Amino acid sequence: MPPRSRTSIVEVAKHADVAISSVSRVLSGHPDVSDAMRKRVMSAVDDLGYRTDLLAQGLRRRETLTVGFVVGDISNPLLAAITMGAETRLRDAGYSMLLTNSENDPQIDAAQIGLLQQRRVDGLLLSLASEDNPAMLAALDGLDIPYVLIDREVDGSVKRRPSAVLSDHASGMQEAVGHLLDLGHRRIALVLGRPLRYSRQRRRGLEQAYAERDISEGFEILEGSSSAEHAARATERLLGRREAPPTAIVAGSNQLLVGILATLHRRRLKPGTDISLVSCDTVALTELLDPPIAVVRRDNRELGRTGAELLLRRLQDDTIEPETVLLPTEFVRQPSCVAAPSEPQRLPQPTPRKSRGLERGSIG
Amino acid sequence: MPPRSRTSIVEVAKHADVAISSVSRVLSGHPDVSDAMRKRVMSAVDDLGYRTDLLAQGLRRRETLTVGFVVGDISNPLLAAITMGAETRLRDAGYSMLLTNSENDPQIDAAQIGLLQQRRVDGLLLSLASEDNPAMLAALDGLDIPYVLIDREVDGSVKRRPSAVLSDHASGMQEAVGHLLDLGHRRIALVLGRPLRYSRQRRRGLEQAYAERDISEGFEILEGSSSAEHAARATERLLGRREAPPTAIVAGSNQLLVGILATLHRRRLKPGTDISLVSCDTVALTELLDPPIAVVRRDNRELGRTGAELLLRRLQDDTIEPETVLLPTEFVRQPSCVAAPSEPQRLPQPTPRKSRGLERGSIG
DNA sequence: TTGAAAGCGCTAACAC
DNA sequence: GTGTTAGCGCTTTCAA
């Protein structure tokens, strides 16, 4: 037999011998319904196993109870945690999440923002690949639904001020670098990824820590991509040179940490012994390595949850103004940070051997 | 001003002074359209910035180009990788993904399967929390759209045979345990999570390795939850006893590995020195630890991609029978596996100290 | 309190 | 080739 089309509200109405609109009223909890009617309809619904078609409902109500989430790379555990937090909150509120990976490509960001709008999502959660891509900014300006940026800033480049949930990376980084400075380090290297908000903030935190102590120089900052490979090469460059190699390295993201660790390993340098090391964002890696790695920590799931919260507020009351929430970060000390060597030291040079751990993009 | 409702196909038709259906034909690439008409319509579309309403289109076409994905815990990097693989393939084919976390709760699985159906997804990708929950099985049987199981088996409990993409865990595990046996280990402990397909398969692989060598005993298997805490306690129990503690431990999942490592650390046992260790599924952790951990590896992204592929095939041609694809696993040797000690040894007892790394559920 | 009817934005016969 | 029309399954006036 042909796949019996699913039962519609019409059949329920027939079965109960009432008007379609009555079925609709009962099902959507309209107050002016008699008990008799309610019972009659509900029993027909049970008999037929009827379930509302949310697509048709959405078309008619002009509201789909659906939220779009655009994310650069869901396989990054950070973004996965954020996604988890957001989805849970949305689901609690009766919303479903349309998820799309942008492969860290601003063009895909832009295209997906448009596509999700065509799918009539009620709102958007955006963890964008870029903060200044023109196509993406145009897509944002074309939006007539509320959206929330997740740890991104596009202020000024966009017509209407967006909601945003941001991490206070600078303060955690300031603590971290302050700690290193207090341990006597002066030559501190910060390895950063792409020029997004978190990179800028982390840079600023480092600079503030130096400024706070009236130390004007010593640090260096290496920007690049957010790949482990970039971090590995940057670290290689830092440690390979004869003149004044850094005594402490700060990884600007968990992915970068992987590359830094690989290079340290290759050069047989042990964090907490030969060099001090700080990373950002707790992952299993930072806690289980020996010694554990000091990190600037934040609550990623909470980040997603709060993003969802901000969006829901605007979805439920469209007079609410866009708002920005700043979530804290916290520096967690670990033995990967030790006192700076008092004498200019010569780092051991590496023994050539097969590198490993860099083939895969995943940071696990 | 009130949010100007977005331009509809009616306005495009008016603007171009043609029939609505002509606009529809042009936009959906109907062959019988004159060039003049095409130009006229397209220029009106451009003028008005019209974009098809996919909700209305879906309602009418009875096809939404949307696929639902139910996953136990998206913050697990394994599932995140699978999700990534699936989403990418689906997006390439023009589909969007509705993602829902079931929090590893079979009731939520069941409810979300129903909800996604109400949202009229064209098909479903399922990484279920349970393989035998009655509510969930009922939800599966109520489905009138194709679905694909991701590394799960419900054969026999369900009316119509489902498509599935499975990992061949047993063969990789057999290799791994074979390797340990060849290194002289006899007392090998396998720490497993919940009783899902991958646990059964991994158990079978271990048993086959023993059988293959005509060794009939020595191994022990500890089942439990898939949490690091379970693994930590299980490992504690294994190593705490006086009589014949295992000389090798196999972690039945990446999450379990975290718990095992924590306990080993606490007891000051070094993998590859004091005890041999194998894990399942590559994560950054396994590669960057010193020494790196031997793993039974598989391609998670490919798992997701293949799942999407199987679904797409059935979406594009509904005469295609459900099919099952088995993807390989591979054992990767690492120095975490060493020869078994020749003499019965006494393991060093732990120094009490603060445990760490177990508070967070994330395995990074 | 209930029913009839219009219509959300689109597609697909069917007629011209 | 193009236009007219009847819905997809639902909600929501409006009248009764």
Side-chain angles (χ1 to χ4, degrees):
Chain A
M1 61 178 186
R4 153 188 65 73
S5 94
R6 79 196 81 185
T7 74
S8 81
I9 198 172
V10 182
E11 305 168 57
V12 177
K14 273 193 191 125
H15 188 92
D17 197 30
V18 299
I20 298 178
S21 50
S22 295
V23 178
S24 176
R25 276 192 211 99
V26 169
L27 259 27
S28 40
H30 191 99
D32 296 346
V33 186
S34 70
D35 271 11
M37 176 63 87
R38 193 179 314 279
K39 277 195 191 109
R40 229 168 137 177
V41 167
M42 289 316 291
S43 104
V45 164
D46 285 349
D47 287 357
L48 302 176
Y50 169 76
R51 313 272 255 124
T52 302
D53 182 323
L54 263 16
L55 206 65
Q57 186 181 75
L59 179 62
R60 183 55 236 242
R61 285 199 179 156
R62 324 186 120 275
E63 179 189 39
T64 57
L65 297 183
T66 299
V67 163
F69 192 4
V70 181
V71 59
D73 174 11
I74 185 72
S75 72
N76 181 327
L78 247 64
L79 294 172
I82 291 172
T83 307
M84 161 72 124
E87 197 275 341
T88 304
R89 180 68 189 91
L90 290 173
R91 183 156 36 78
D92 280 355
Y95 284 77
S96 293
M97 176 189 278
L98 269 166
L99 177 84
T100 181
N101 259 285
S102 73
E103 306 176 19
N104 284 321
D105 176 348
Q107 300 292 340
I108 300 186
D109 269 352
Q112 291 299 314
I113 290 170
L115 178 64
L116 287 166
Q117 198 175 14
Q118 287 186 259
R119 289 201 181 282
R120 280 176 164 276
V121 296
D122 295 337
L124 242 27
L125 251 24
L126 303 174
S127 174
L128 297 165
S130 149
E131 293 171 330
D132 54 11
N133 178 275
M136 182 279 292
L137 291 171
L140 286 187
D141 274 332
L143 244 26
D144 55 359
I145 50 175
Y147 64 98
V148 177
L149 301 180
I150 312 280
D151 208 25
R152 296 288 186 278
E153 275 172 332
V154 298
D155 300 351
S157 346
V158 109
K159 283 188 216 133
R160 281 149 301 125
R161 191 167 65 90
S163 289
V165 52
L166 308 172
S167 289
D168 187 9
H169 305 286
S171 82
M173 183 58 80
Q174 186 173 351
E175 273 186 76
V177 174
H179 179 58
L180 288 172
L181 289 172
D182 293 347
L183 285 171
H185 294 275
R186 287 301 174 270
R187 298 195 306 281
I188 301 175
L190 172 60
V191 181
L192 289 180
R194 287 172 303 151
L196 293 171
R197 176 175 187 279
Y198 62 87
S199 290
R200 292 194 301 275
Q201 286 274 311
R202 284 168 180 162
R203 171 197 291 268
R204 198 159 66 89
L206 177 141
E207 290 168 350
Q208 283 170 346
Y210 271 77
E212 196 179 31
R213 283 163 182 74
D214 281 324
I215 307 172
S216 59
E217 55 183 23
F219 63 81
E220 56 192 310
I221 296 175
L222 293 87
E223 276 208 53
S225 75
S226 48
S227 68
E229 288 75 6
H230 151 58
R233 281 192 306 269
T235 310
E236 195 60 60
R237 225 175 315 135
L238 287 169
L239 301 180
R241 69 172 179 235
R242 285 281 172 228
E243 291 310 307
T247 59
I249 299 186
V250 183
S253 85
N254 58 343
Q255 313 212 46
L256 298 172
L257 173 66
V258 172
I260 293 171
L261 283 174
T263 294
L264 292 184
H265 203 90
R266 211 176 63 70
R267 300 182 78 95
R268 304 209 172 292
L269 295 176
K270 197 171 155 68
T273 305
D274 306 307
I275 195 162
S276 288
L277 185 58
V278 171
S279 186
C280 294
D281 302 313
T282 321
V283 287
L285 199 52
T286 56
E287 302 190 321
L288 287 168
L289 284 177
D290 185 27
I293 310 291
V295 293
V296 177
R297 180 159 73 186
R298 58 171 164 166
D299 186 338
N300 297 300
R301 203 164 294 191
E302 177 64 17
L303 200 65
R305 211 196 58 74
T306 304
E309 194 66 46
L310 290 183
L311 187 57
L312 286 170
R313 280 221 271 276
R314 296 188 58 194
L315 256 24
Q316 274 143 25
D317 176 356
D318 60 8
T319 68
I320 288 185
E321 289 297 302
E323 42 189 332
T324 296
V325 172
L326 193 66
L327 295 179
T329 62
E330 167 203 19
F331 177 58
V332 183
R333 298 183 184 198
Q334 290 286 14
S336 70
C337 294
V338 289
S342 45
E343 292 297 300
Q345 57 165 3
R346 170 160 303 177
L347 291 173
Q349 289 303 303
T351 321
R353 69 184 189 97
K354 252 175 57 197
S355 86
R356 63 180 159 70
L358 276 180
E359 295 77 10
R360 251 155 306 286
S362 160
I363 103 102
Chain B
M1 60 178 185
R4 154 189 64 74
S5 93
R6 76 196 83 184
T7 73
S8 81
I9 197 172
V10 183
E11 305 169 57
V12 178
K14 274 194 193 122
H15 188 92
D17 197 31
V18 299
I20 298 177
S21 52
S22 294
V23 179
S24 175
R25 277 192 210 99
V26 169
L27 259 27
S28 41
H30 191 100
D32 296 346
V33 187
S34 70
D35 271 9
M37 176 63 87
R38 192 177 316 278
K39 277 194 192 109
R40 235 173 130 172
V41 167
M42 289 316 290
S43 102
V45 165
D46 286 348
D47 287 358
L48 302 175
Y50 169 77
R51 314 271 256 123
T52 302
D53 182 324
L54 263 16
L55 207 64
Q57 185 180 76
L59 180 62
R60 183 57 236 239
R61 284 200 180 158
R62 323 188 121 276
E63 179 188 38
T64 57
L65 297 182
T66 299
V67 163
F69 192 3
V70 181
V71 61
D73 174 12
I74 185 72
S75 72
N76 181 327
L78 247 64
L79 295 172
I82 291 172
T83 307
M84 161 70 125
E87 196 275 341
T88 304
R89 181 66 189 92
L90 290 174
R91 183 157 37 78
D92 281 354
Y95 285 77
S96 294
M97 177 189 278
L98 270 166
L99 177 82
T100 181
N101 259 283
S102 74
E103 305 175 19
N104 284 322
D105 177 348
Q107 300 292 339
I108 300 187
D109 270 352
Q112 291 299 314
I113 290 171
L115 178 65
L116 287 167
Q117 199 175 15
Q118 286 186 261
R119 288 201 181 281
R120 280 177 164 278
V121 296
D122 295 338
L124 242 27
L125 252 23
L126 302 174
S127 174
L128 298 165
S130 150
E131 293 171 329
D132 55 11
N133 178 275
M136 182 279 292
L137 291 171
L140 286 188
D141 274 333
L143 245 25
D144 56 358
I145 50 174
Y147 63 97
V148 177
L149 301 180
I150 313 280
D151 209 24
R152 296 289 186 276
E153 274 171 333
V154 297
D155 299 351
S157 348
V158 108
K159 283 190 216 131
R160 281 148 302 124
R161 190 166 68 89
S163 289
V165 52
L166 308 172
S167 288
D168 187 8
H169 306 285
S171 83
M173 183 59 79
Q174 185 173 352
E175 273 186 75
V177 173
H179 179 59
L180 289 172
L181 289 171
D182 293 347
L183 285 170
H185 294 274
R186 288 301 175 266
R187 298 194 306 280
I188 301 175
L190 173 60
V191 180
L192 288 180
R194 287 172 306 152
L196 294 171
R197 177 176 187 279
Y198 62 86
S199 289
R200 292 195 300 276
Q201 286 274 312
R202 284 168 180 164
R203 172 197 290 268
R204 198 159 66 88
L206 177 141
E207 290 168 350
Q208 283 170 347
Y210 271 77
E212 196 179 33
R213 284 164 182 74
D214 281 324
I215 308 172
S216 60
E217 56 182 23
F219 63 82
E220 57 192 309
I221 296 176
L222 293 86
E223 275 208 53
S225 75
S226 48
S227 68
E229 288 76 7
H230 151 58
R233 282 193 305 270
T235 309
E236 196 59 59
R237 224 175 315 136
L238 286 170
L239 301 180
R241 70 171 179 235
R242 286 281 173 229
E243 291 310 306
T247 59
I249 299 185
V250 183
S253 84
N254 59 342
Q255 312 211 46
L256 298 172
L257 173 65
V258 173
I260 294 171
L261 284 173
T263 294
L264 292 183
H265 203 89
R266 211 177 63 71
R267 300 183 77 95
R268 304 208 174 294
L269 295 175
K270 197 171 155 66
T273 304
D274 306 307
I275 194 162
S276 288
L277 185 59
V278 171
S279 185
C280 294
D281 302 313
T282 321
V283 287
L285 200 52
T286 56
E287 302 190 322
L288 288 168
L289 284 177
D290 186 25
I293 311 292
V295 293
V296 177
R297 179 159 73 185
R298 59 171 163 164
D299 187 336
N300 297 299
R301 203 163 295 192
E302 177 63 16
L303 200 64
R305 210 196 59 74
T306 304
E309 194 66 48
L310 290 183
L311 187 57
L312 287 169
R313 280 221 272 275
R314 295 188 60 195
L315 256 24
Q316 275 143 23
D317 176 354
D318 61 8
T319 68
I320 289 185
E321 289 298 302
E323 42 189 331
T324 295
V325 172
L326 192 66
L327 295 179
T329 61
E330 169 203 17
F331 176 59
V332 182
R333 298 183 184 198
Q334 291 287 13
S336 69
C337 294
V338 289
S342 44
E343 293 298 300
Q345 57 166 6
R346 170 160 303 177
L347 290 172
Q349 289 304 304
T351 320
R353 69 185 187 95
K354 254 178 53 200
S355 87
R356 61 178 161 69
L358 277 180
E359 294 76 12
R360 250 155 305 287
S362 159
I363 105 102

